[in-house]
Amino acid sequence: MRKKLAAFLLCTIPLLIGCAASQDTSSMTIKKDGVVKSYIVEEFTAPYYDEYELQQSAEADILAYNDETGEDAIELKKFKLEEGILRATVEYQTSKDYESFNEETLFVGLLSEAEKDGYDVEGTFYAADDLNQKLTYEEIQKEGDYHVVIFTEPVNVKVADKVIYISDGLQKGNSAKEVSITDDTKEIYYIIYE
């Protein structure tokens, strides 16, 4: 799933066997200043790997990325293995850092910027407050140059302002700024917000 940290956690060690309970799942928060916080929650039942080894590997991957970019672009904020559940919080200074480090699409910006950067915004969109209201991208464009999050990783997302439109596989979360995954088989997801 992810190039470095999550790839290590989810692929290299085949002992991570899925997400924890739905009220405690992996997610990300995108702040107004563009900082991305990724919250990783995974069940971990490996008796022969310990928290220290996992944390050291994650920190080494982050250090290598920061050395390569010459910036403190990524920081491991939390890493805890307790009662078979691994919880990690990773902070990325930009969505580009997230995208590069994890080899997952994550664009955060205006719709016009997404187009300039070569992202195709397409598909059917739904009003976040009324999933029966369908719109095309062209109809949304006529309303204004909204903010958009384009992502491929099936995680719940919280953005900085009110969510207006969402793509297939998503639904409004617990607040006007949160979106939940309803279908983790989609190749790409879009959140359009104020």
Side-chain angles (χ1 to χ4, degrees), residues 19-67:
C19 293
S22 61
Q23 70 272 11
D24 196 12
T25 60
S26 296
S27 64
M28 77 171 73
T29 298
I30 299 165
K31 298 182 176 183
K32 263 196 197 302
D33 62 3
V35 171
V36 177
K37 276 197 170 184
S38 176
Y39 304 95
I40 301 165
V41 180
E42 296 292 335
E43 187 174 342
F44 185 83
T45 58
Y48 48 86
Y49 278 99
D50 66 15
E51 180 178 355
Y52 178 78
E53 287 175 320
L54 292 171
Q55 185 170 351
Q56 291 302 308
S57 180
E59 288 173 347
D61 286 343
I62 290 170
L63 180 61
Y65 180 88
N66 287 341
D67 285 347

Side-chain angles (χ1 to χ4, degrees), residues 2-9 12 53-69 74-76 90 92 101-102:
R2 298 180 185 188
K3 177 183 173 192
K4 301 285 185 182
L5 178 60
F8 174 76
L9 297 175
T12 308
E53 287 175 320
L54 292 171
Q55 185 170 351
Q56 291 302 308
S57 180
E59 288 173 347
D61 286 343
I62 290 170
L63 180 61
Y65 180 88
N66 287 341
D67 285 347
E68 185 179 307
T69 62
I74 304 173
E75 183 180 352
L76 183 63
V90 184
Y92 302 83
F101 185 77
N102 295 305

Side-chain angles (χ1 to χ4, degrees), residues 3-178:
K3 177 183 173 192
K4 301 285 185 182
L5 178 60
F8 174 76
L9 297 175
L10 298 175
C11 300
T12 308
I13 304 173
L15 304 165
L16 294 171
I17 58 173
C19 293
S22 61
Q23 70 272 11
D24 196 12
T25 60
S26 296
S27 64
M28 77 171 73
T29 298
I30 299 165
K31 298 182 176 183
K32 263 196 197 302
D33 62 3
V35 171
V36 177
K37 276 197 170 184
S38 176
Y39 304 95
I40 301 165
V41 180
E42 296 292 335
E43 187 174 342
F44 185 83
T45 58
Y48 48 86
Y49 278 99
D50 66 15
E51 180 178 355
Y52 178 78
E53 287 175 320
L54 292 171
Q55 185 170 351
Q56 291 302 308
S57 180
E59 288 173 347
D61 286 343
I62 290 170
L63 180 61
Y65 180 88
N66 287 341
D67 285 347
E68 185 179 307
T69 62
E71 299 178 14
D72 290 332
I74 304 173
E75 183 180 352
L76 183 63
K77 294 286 199 175
K78 177 183 173 185
F79 197 98
K80 187 74 178 163
L81 177 61
E82 192 171 66
E83 296 180 10
I85 303 294
L86 177 65
R87 290 178 173 81
T89 303
V90 184
E91 186 173 276
Y92 302 83
Q93 290 306 304
T94 68
S95 60
K96 294 289 183 201
D97 292 315
Y98 181 98
E99 197 170 51
S100 296
F101 185 77
N102 295 305
E103 293 184 348
E104 289 279 352
T105 298
L106 179 62
F107 174 85
V108 177
L110 296 173
L111 288 168
S112 59
E113 295 169 338
E115 289 178 9
K116 286 179 189 171
D117 284 357
Y119 292 94
D120 292 325
V121 181
E122 56 190 14
T124 303
F125 293 86
Y126 303 90
D129 292 328
D130 180 7
L131 295 180
N132 292 319
Q133 182 185 355
K134 291 183 184 181
L135 293 98
T136 64
Y137 177 59
E138 291 73 25
E139 291 172 315
I140 294 170
Q141 278 183 305
K142 290 176 186 174
E143 292 183 20
D145 197 15
Y146 292 119
H147 290 92
V148 63
V149 178
I150 303 170
F151 60 109
T152 53
E153 188 173 8
V155 297
N156 298 338
V157 178
K158 182 177 181 181
V159 293
D161 288 300
K162 182 181 178 185
V163 175
I164 304 168
Y165 302 110
I166 54 179
S167 64
D168 281 327
L170 301 174
Q171 71 179 11
K172 183 178 170 185
N174 294 330
S175 78
K177 298 178 182 181
E178 296 177 342

